[in-house]
Amino acid sequence: MIGNTPLVGIIMGSESDLPVMKKTAEVLEEMGVSYEMKISSAHRMPKETADYAESARKCGIEVIIAGAGMAAHLAGAIAAHTTLPVIGVPLKSGELNGVDALYSTVQMPSGIPVATVAINGAANAAYLACSILSIKYPEIRVAIDSKREKTRVKLLEKSEAIKNTTLKDL
Ligand code: RP5
């Protein structure tokens, strides 16, 4: 595992976000990157959220991934309290199916950026965190290259397998 202390902080607004947000942990484990996971709601736990963001850099965290649904202010609230890179994951929940969270997460004021991935894009948040960390850690770059190569080969094999398929075979 790269990092003696967690390099990535994964924060989510509610326990109900865990089924999607655990995909970030799955990708980081596959890439060998250390992480920690926490529940911290921007609205229900404002002080704890601000404290976490303010102390993250000195605790050794280098990238924060924040996932929340509905009026999703978590990533933005964290970005307001740290200059670490913050990646926001808008989550699909509530009556608006994540469009509310997407707009809340992506529309940040100038100077306080949140790198926002797709609705429920938890895996891509982890891949982006790895790309950021790969600037400093060459072994993460190797892990990303290797993953992309495996994906490419798998797709080539699938393409080969369906090459002579017609509709009647499906
Ligand atoms: C957000 O509200 C959370 O991130 C979650 O996606 C949504 C619903 O939270 P619960 O009511 O399930 O705790 O703050």
Side-chain angles (χ1 to χ4, degrees):
M1 207 50 104
I2 300 150
N4 297 326
T5 57
L7 293 179
V8 178
I10 304 169
I11 318 295
M12 61 205 87
S14 167
E15 194 185 0
S16 64
D17 299 328
L18 197 51
V20 174
M21 289 305 290
K22 77 169 191 218
K23 290 179 197 155
T24 57
E26 284 167 9
V27 170
L28 293 173
E29 285 201 14
E30 191 185 354
M31 308 302 266
V33 175
S34 55
Y35 62 88
E36 65 181 12
M37 267 199 290
K38 280 184 188 302
I39 294 167
S40 196
S41 165
H43 301 123
R44 294 165 174 160
M45 301 164 64
K47 185 169 174 347
E48 288 83 355
T49 300
D51 288 349
Y52 180 80
E54 273 163 18
S55 61
R57 188 187 289 273
K58 93 169 170 280
C59 294
I61 297 285
E62 299 189 11
V63 181
I64 296 176
I65 297 173
M70 297 169 73
H73 294 123
L74 183 58
I78 288 173
H81 290 281
T82 182
T83 51
L84 289 173
V86 177
I87 303 170
V89 187
L91 296 174
K92 183 175 174 174
S93 64
E95 299 303 316
L96 300 184
N97 286 321
V99 174
D100 43 2
L102 172 64
Y103 287 169
S104 305
T105 305
V106 78
Q107 291 287 19
M108 287 298 291
S110 178
I112 314 292
V114 168
T116 305
V117 295
I119 295 171
N120 280 4
N124 258 0
Y127 286 120
L128 180 55
C130 289
S131 293
I132 293 167
L133 292 167
S134 74
I135 296 167
K136 180 171 167 187
Y137 301 94
E139 55 276 52
I140 300 179
R141 196 189 67 214
V142 171
I144 296 169
D145 285 343
S146 152
K147 171 73 185 179
R148 288 192 179 192
E149 178 60 11
K150 275 188 209 145
T151 305
R152 189 183 72 84
V153 168
K154 206 188 281 177
L155 279 175
L156 279 175
E157 284 167 5
K158 284 193 193 302
S159 172
E160 192 59 30
I162 65 160
K163 201 164 72 180
N164 297 317
T165 301
T166 60
L167 269 182
K168 70 174 167 29
D169 303 315
L170 299 175

